[in-house]
């Protein structure tokens, strides 16, 4: 049985070790993670199919690419991206293929190329890895500035305000 409290403490310590400045956007968080890892992180919005997760990360030879659902709120997108960044920070992904490897020569005409990249580009995560990514992703989301007009999570602030002394 996993110790959830210990996992939370470890993930919070990991965020502190990142020594990130207070951030206002997910894009700035991606840049900070890229600086730390020495690998660019690209964000790619897309419409996910029913059988796909709401986000996934692909480790390429030259960069890490985070795909996330484009048909959802900015706050949900931020959460998805932070979850995928957590997989990168926790080392859940297999090493990137060598730059000279060419997967384009694989011919599987009955399988969609995007689905091949999804399956081959991601390791199988066990429950512990998903738990770590969810906890660390939530911690990363927490460090984003929630001030109106200050980035992708700015839409949350008005929802938390009181109006005429009542909760909205």
């Amino acid at each position: 049985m996993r110790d959830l409290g210990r996992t939370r403490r470890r993930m919070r310590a990991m965020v502190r070790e990142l020594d990130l400045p207070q951030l206002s956007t997910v894009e700035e968080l991606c840049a900070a993670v890229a600086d730390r890892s020495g690998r660019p992180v690209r964000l790619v919005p897309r419409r996910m199919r029913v059988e796909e997760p709401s986000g996934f990360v692909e480790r390429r030879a030259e960069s890490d690419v985070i795909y996330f659902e484009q048909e959802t709120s900015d706050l949900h997108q931020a959460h998805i991206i932070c979850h995928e960044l957590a997989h990168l920070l926790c080392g859940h992904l297999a090493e990137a293929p060598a730059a000279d490897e060419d997967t384009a020569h694989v011919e599987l005409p009955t399988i969609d190329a995007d689905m091949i990249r999804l399956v081959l580009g991601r390791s199988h995560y066990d429950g512990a890895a998903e738990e770590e990514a969810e906890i660390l992703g939530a911690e990363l989301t927490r460090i984003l500035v929630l001030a109106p007009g200050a980035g992708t999570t700015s839409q949350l602030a008005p929802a938390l305000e009181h109006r005429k002394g009542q909760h909205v």
Side-chain angles (χ1 to χ4, degrees):
M1 184 173 199
R2 290 186 291 262
D3 182 351
L4 190 57
R6 183 184 316 169
T7 301
R8 281 192 178 112
R9 287 188 298 277
R10 233 176 359 98
M11 296 300 105
R12 286 182 183 138
M14 188 178 290
V15 170
R16 284 190 303 274
E17 288 169 13
L18 285 172
D19 196 30
L20 297 167
Q22 195 168 24
L23 304 169
S24 62
T25 68
V26 171
E27 293 78 11
E28 289 172 316
L29 178 59
C30 287
V33 171
D35 285 345
R36 178 176 169 82
S37 69
R39 294 177 53 83
V41 176
R42 285 190 322 120
L43 297 177
V44 179
R46 64 177 269 192
R47 177 175 275 157
M48 299 297 190
R49 291 178 285 197
V50 174
E51 70 274 7
E52 291 180 319
S54 57
F56 60 94
V57 62
E58 177 184 18
R59 177 149 278 184
R60 294 185 178 176
E62 71 286 352
S63 65
D64 294 318
V65 182
I66 295 176
Y67 299 91
F68 60 95
E69 176 59 61
Q70 68 184 19
E71 302 294 325
T72 191
S73 71
D74 288 347
L75 182 60
H76 188 214
Q77 288 176 356
H79 176 73
I80 294 165
I81 293 165
C82 286
H83 177 95
E84 299 307 327
L85 285 170
H87 280 301
L88 291 173
L89 290 167
C90 290
H92 296 157
L93 289 153
E95 284 302 309
D100 62 344
E101 287 183 30
D102 187 6
T103 57
H105 294 311
V106 177
E107 291 190 35
L108 297 170
T110 60
I111 301 177
D112 180 63
D114 286 338
M115 188 54 70
I116 291 172
R117 277 193 290 288
L118 169 65
V119 173
L120 296 179
R122 182 173 186 160
S123 304
H124 175 71
Y125 302 142
D126 62 14
E130 281 301 320
E131 185 177 273
E132 284 181 351
E134 195 59 29
I135 292 169
L136 182 54
E139 290 296 320
L140 291 171
T141 302
R142 260 179 9 108
I143 67 171
L144 300 177
V145 176
L146 298 178
T152 57
T153 58
S154 64
Q155 295 170 353
L156 180 61
L160 299 176
E161 291 177 356
H162 291 278
R163 294 200 182 145
K164 296 183 181 179
Q166 299 179 1
H167 291 287
V168 182

